[in-house]
């Protein structure tokens, strides 16, 4: 996907070709940085405050002083207005520097959700590598080559997403998503202690299920639980809620988006529309 033309970096809007960072900054050399990917709908960022809260938590874990929320909001506003955005993915980045830290924001088009929701996601599992249990598990950091490497391999094989386990043999998360399974009407999702990212959309999905009276537990999930599940679905800020209809070339459930995921997805979409509606 093509990055949109105007990037905000360190206090000013520039053409994306002119956006750069000092090559000796710790963010460039060691990946000492955190980011948030957010959904812009009707020109407004959904769950902006939740993303800012997670960014502040992650920057604290990595020892990076974050700018004020007012400065961050202004940077995002300028990117939205400077690119005349209505619907887009916004990426907010905080990078450790030498004499000062760097904040930069850019946008890209949203994925085609209509197509993905109609057929569901295809996913595979990484069976011979696992996520390390480190303090970085709670941060959305620049250190993402592990995820990107296996995501690229999965795409070459025709999969949309790839699932990772931890050293205990538990399912943890996807390369860009949190995981939920449905079995006999109840929903389970890996606890944060499994090594998964504290996803903003994950928390919203859990809240929706509690409001709707759908049994939901944060509980360890094994690889076998995936194959016995009636439904599997994933969450992230850009996808919202998306069903997984094929796992390792096998059908999940009936091989089509299931009723629980569809219900949560509709309620979630209604919340996005309500919060971002033009007033």
């Amino acid at each position: 996907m093509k990055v949109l033309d105007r990037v905000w970096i360190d206090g000013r809007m520039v053409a994306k070709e002119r956006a750069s960072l000092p090559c000796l900054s710790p963010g460039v050399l060691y990946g000492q940085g955190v980011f948030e990917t957010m959904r812009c709908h009707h020109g407004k960022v959904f769950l902006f405050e939740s993303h800012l809260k997670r960014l502040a938590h992650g920057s604290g874990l990595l020892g990076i002083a974050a700018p004020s929320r007012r400065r961050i909001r202004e940077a995002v506003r300028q990117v939205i207005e400077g690119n005349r955005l209505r619907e887009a993915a916004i990426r907010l980045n905080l990078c450790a520097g030498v004499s000062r830290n760097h904040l930069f924001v850019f946008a890209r088009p949203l994925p085609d959700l209509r197509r993905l929701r109609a057929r569901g996601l295809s996913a595979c599992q990484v069976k011979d590598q696992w996520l390390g249990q480190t303090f970085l598990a709670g941060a959305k950091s620049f250190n993402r080559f592990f995820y990107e490497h296996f995501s690229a391999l999965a795409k070459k094989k025709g999969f949309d997403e790839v699932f990772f386990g931890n050293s205990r043999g538990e399912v943890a998360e996807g390369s860009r998503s949190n995981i939920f399974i449905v079995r006999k009407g109840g929903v389970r999702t890996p606890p944060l202690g499994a090594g998964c990212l504290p996803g903003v959309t994950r928390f919203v999905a859990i809240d929706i299920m509690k409001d709707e009276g759908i049994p939901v537990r944060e509980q360890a999930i094994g690889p076998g639980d995936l194959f016995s599940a009636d439904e599997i679905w994933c969450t992230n800020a850009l996808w919202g809620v998306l069903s997984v209809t094929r796992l390792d070339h096998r059908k999940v459930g009936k091989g089509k988006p299931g009723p629980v995921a569809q219900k949560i997805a509709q309620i979630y979409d209604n919340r996005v529309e309500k919060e971002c509606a033009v007033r």
Side-chain angles (χ1 to χ4, degrees):
M1 292 183 179
K2 183 180 179 181
V3 176
L4 300 182
D5 291 335
R6 304 277 289 166
V7 176
W8 191 99
I9 183 165
D10 292 339
R12 62 196 182 102
M13 293 287 289
V14 300
K16 65 177 183 292
E17 294 84 0
R18 297 178 58 198
S20 62
L21 293 170
C23 64
L24 297 182
S25 66
V28 173
L29 292 177
Y30 313 118
Q32 187 181 351
V34 288
F35 71 98
E36 291 291 320
T37 302
M38 309 175 292
R39 181 177 174 182
C40 173
H41 182 58
H42 293 315
K44 298 180 181 178
V45 175
F46 182 56
L47 297 175
F48 202 172
E49 292 303 313
S50 296
H51 284 286
L52 291 179
K53 183 178 179 180
R54 187 171 64 179
L55 184 83
H57 175 70
S59 64
L61 288 176
L62 271 71
I64 309 170
S68 68
R69 291 192 178 188
R70 180 178 178 180
R71 180 175 174 81
I72 295 173
R73 291 191 199 95
E74 176 61 18
V76 172
R77 183 193 67 79
Q78 289 188 32
V79 168
I80 291 173
E81 294 184 358
N83 289 290
R84 300 179 181 179
L85 301 177
R86 300 292 297 162
E87 310 294 321
I90 306 290
R91 177 157 158 160
L92 172 62
N93 309 271
L94 179 60
C95 175
V98 178
S99 59
R100 60 168 180 165
N101 296 330
H102 306 282
L103 179 68
F104 60 101
V105 185
F106 60 85
R108 66 176 188 267
L110 287 170
D112 184 355
L113 293 179
R114 290 175 297 179
R115 180 180 61 85
L116 289 173
R117 286 188 176 169
R119 66 169 175 83
L121 297 168
S122 61
C124 62
Q125 298 183 78
V126 173
K127 298 181 174 64
D128 56 353
Q129 299 283 336
W130 52 85
L131 297 174
Q133 297 291 101
T134 74
F135 71 97
L136 287 176
K140 200 170 177 70
S141 79
F142 285 6
N143 289 274
R144 291 197 62 80
F145 184 72
F146 180 88
Y147 296 93
E148 295 301 320
H149 173 69
F150 287 103
S151 178
L153 291 179
K155 286 181 179 178
K156 287 182 179 179
K157 296 177 181 179
F159 295 103
D160 302 305
E161 178 60 306
V162 55
F163 294 162
F164 302 102
N166 59 30
S167 58
R168 298 190 296 269
E170 302 164 348
V171 176
E173 63 182 348
S175 67
R176 64 197 64 199
S177 65
N178 290 108
I179 302 168
F180 292 78
I181 66 170
V182 182
R183 178 69 173 165
K184 296 181 179 179
V187 182
R188 289 162 59 189
T189 190
L192 298 183
C196 62
L197 187 77
V200 170
T201 309
R202 172 186 181 273
F203 288 122
V204 174
I206 291 172
D207 285 343
I208 289 172
M209 285 183 282
K210 290 179 177 178
D211 289 345
E212 294 296 312
I214 298 172
V216 56
R217 293 178 293 167
E218 295 181 66
Q219 185 180 46
I221 295 173
D225 295 323
L226 295 177
F227 291 112
S228 64
D230 300 319
E231 297 181 42
I232 302 173
W233 37 282
C234 296
T235 60
N236 71 27
L238 303 186
W239 290 347
V241 176
L242 275 180
S243 292
V244 176
T245 53
R246 297 192 71 83
L247 177 66
D248 291 335
H249 299 295
R250 304 188 203 177
K251 284 185 180 180
V252 175
K254 296 181 180 180
K256 60 183 180 179
V260 177
Q262 288 181 310
K263 180 176 182 177
I264 304 306
Q266 185 59 61
I267 296 171
Y268 179 85
D269 289 348
N270 290 342
R271 289 195 180 186
V272 174
E273 189 65 32
K274 182 178 180 180
E275 182 172 315
C276 300
V278 177
R279 296 180 177 86

